[in-house]
Amino acid sequence: MEKTSIDNQSVSSTTTSVSTTSSSKLKTSYETFLQEAATLFPKVDQKLLLNILQFETTYKDWEGSVMLKIVYPATISDIDAKKDWIYKKYQRVSNIEEDRTLRFKAIRLYIEEIEKLLKEDPTIEYITGSATMTPSDAYASE
Amino acid sequence: MEGESNETSSWQGLVNKPVYSSDGQEVGIVSAIQPLHLVVSFGPITTDKYLIPKSSIKNVERGIVYLKENTKFVGDNYRFE
């Protein structure tokens, strides 16, 4: 009887140990992943990046609906040229905010597209915005 | 930033902390930490947002983030939304 009690304690202790190890391992992996995201996409809002990744990987038919804000350095003199460039790429008219930020909503803005944008225009200082499940312009964006 | 390492965890501690310019004006509250910048928000409804390079932080003292630049410079160069 006493032997069984000891065995139960032993099993319980082992389970706790395995559980702690699993959670530590998962936390470490997640922290490494976040660090890698920051290193690979330093100019992208990390929350937006993770949201796009989540939608892309969870919903295979996600249309890549994103309200994007592209921020240029305050010293930019040709923001209208950037606006034209965005129009040619996505056929979307963007709003100019604070003379340095272009805001527009488009589809198929997957993570590869964000990477492409940054490669095509290295003057971009920062990209932020929000990924949405709704594909159309029927709903107001933030 | 003086006295701070570049570790993510130490930067995350700045979220919700007030930010002041070098001339003592409040710029806003740190709303997010990004790899190269701090996003600082000001105002409850029509929020002004500032993209502040991490290199612009002079120091953090008693939970307040102090910048190297004055209010005008911050407004002219860092406001993006």
Side-chain angles (χ1 to χ4, degrees):
Chain A
M1 194 61 182
E2 196 174 318
K3 173 94 173 53
T4 309
S5 172
I6 289 167
D7 282 350
N8 283 344
Q9 276 181 1
S10 172
V11 168
S12 172
S13 166
T14 310
T15 310
T16 309
S17 170
V18 167
S19 169
T20 308
T21 309
S22 299
S23 54
S24 306
K25 198 175 164 185
L26 195 60
K27 279 183 195 173
T28 307
S29 301
Y30 184 63
E31 281 165 3
T32 307
F33 167 72
L34 291 183
Q35 191 59 52
E36 196 168 16
T39 308
L40 294 173
F41 291 87
K43 291 181 174 181
V44 181
D45 179 345
Q46 299 295 290
K47 192 177 171 187
L48 171 68
L49 186 72
L50 296 186
N51 282 344
I52 292 176
L53 265 177
Q54 188 201 3
F55 285 155
E56 257 195 79
T57 52
T58 310
Y59 311 104
K60 298 297 176 193
D61 58 347
W62 182 59
E63 289 193 331
S65 174
V66 175
M67 199 281 294
L68 207 65
K69 295 174 190 172
I70 301 178
V71 183
Y72 286 95
T75 50
I76 189 168
S77 56
D78 57 347
I79 191 74
D80 287 321
K82 302 293 184 187
K83 185 176 174 173
D84 291 345
W85 175 62
I86 291 296
Y87 182 76
K88 281 173 191 155
K89 277 181 80 70
Y90 303 110
Q91 290 75 54
R92 297 290 174 141
V93 178
S94 47
N95 289 336
I96 299 175
E97 294 179 354
E98 301 297 332
D99 297 326
R100 63 182 295 206
T101 303
L102 295 179
R103 179 179 177 273
F104 64 100
K105 193 166 183 177
I107 56 168
R108 289 185 286 279
L109 277 169
Y110 303 113
I111 190 166
E112 291 82 3
E113 188 61 29
I114 304 282
E115 184 178 5
K116 218 168 113 185
L117 261 175
L118 288 164
K119 271 190 184 153
E120 283 179 27
D121 189 355
T123 65
I124 292 172
E125 187 172 343
Y126 178 62
I127 290 180
T128 184
S130 54
T132 53
M133 287 297 291
T134 52
S136 73
D137 286 334
Y139 304 97
S141 56
E142 72 176 42
Chain B
M1 179 171 51
E2 290 166 19
E4 286 278 349
S5 72
N6 204 29
E7 291 295 318
T8 312
S9 55
S10 58
W11 285 104
Q12 288 300 334
L14 298 182
V15 173
N16 287 331
K17 297 285 189 288
V19 179
Y20 280 78
S21 59
S22 62
D23 51 340
Q25 296 296 308
E26 185 176 357
V27 177
I29 302 288
V30 177
S31 55
I33 307 292
Q34 297 299 334
L36 305 174
H37 303 91
L38 264 67
V39 178
V40 173
S41 304
F42 182 80
I45 301 168
T46 50
T47 312
D48 288 334
K49 285 189 179 174
Y50 300 84
L51 190 63
I52 297 181
K54 286 179 175 175
S55 58
S56 286
I57 298 174
K58 186 183 169 194
N59 64 339
V60 180
E61 207 176 302
R62 295 194 188 101
I64 298 174
V65 181
Y66 292 98
L67 302 180
K68 293 174 185 169
E69 294 92 6
N70 63 24
T71 312
K72 186 178 184 322
F73 186 93
V74 170
D76 291 347
N77 292 278
Y78 298 154
R79 190 156 69 202
F80 73 98
E81 199 181 318

